[in-house]
Amino acid sequence: QVQLVESGGGSVESGGSLRLSCVASGYTDSRFLMGWFRQAPGKEHEGIALMIISTGNTTYADSIKGRFTISQDNAENTLYLQMNSLKPEDTAIYYCAAKPGVVFPPRPLSPAWYTYWGQGTQVTVSS
């Protein structure tokens, strides 16, 4: 059973930075897609950054492109999300999610594809 545990959330002022971490366990190979999603109050889950673990290929939502960077540390089974130039509209619960695979599916940032989810970490950006 794949388990995902996020950390690194917090409260920052507009323009600040945070780095989220997601430690993964319970799988035996790198044939997974892993990504970051968020849910703001009253809104649906939004996929924002995705990586094919075996190749390092990435894709981003337009809303965060150029500000957020997804990366991995294979030795530590950890996925990161570096968030810079944060805005109040980035306030949300951020989730790490994963699915088996080695290629991007159609509409890869759609939450419906993802089987495994972490518990989430709160990010609050004040103006």
Side-chain angles (χ1 to χ4, degrees):
Q1 180 72 10
V2 174
Q3 292 186 320
L4 306 171
V5 180
E6 304 99 332
S7 62
S11 297
V12 295
E13 293 185 349
S14 183
S17 298
L18 284 173
R19 188 177 78 158
L20 305 183
S21 300
C22 172
V23 179
S25 62
Y27 61 91
T28 58
D29 62 47
S30 63
R31 289 173 290 181
F32 271 79
L33 279 66
M34 292 184 68
W36 291 96
F37 297 76
R38 66 186 182 184
Q39 187 172 27
K43 296 189 177 181
E44 296 183 352
H45 276 85
E46 174 193 14
I48 57 173
L50 178 63
M51 175 178 282
I52 299 174
I53 298 302
S54 59
T55 64
N57 288 354
T58 60
T59 190
Y60 294 93
D62 289 343
S63 59
I64 58 88
K65 199 172 292 184
R67 299 188 296 124
F68 293 7
T69 303
I70 189 171
S71 63
Q72 61 172 324
D73 182 334
N74 285 334
E76 299 293 329
N77 289 339
T78 301
L79 187 75
Y80 298 103
L81 184 69
Q82 178 67 44
M83 305 186 295
N84 298 328
S85 301
L86 282 161
K87 305 175 182 179
E89 53 263 43
D90 294 317
T91 294
I93 300 173
Y94 284 70
Y95 298 90
C96 176
K99 71 176 290 296
V102 295
V103 296
F104 290 129
R107 299 181 67 239
L109 292 172
S110 171
W113 286 113
Y114 296 86
T115 307
Y116 306 103
W117 291 82
Q119 83 288 352
T121 186
Q122 177 72 46
V123 171
T124 303
V125 185
S126 58
S127 58

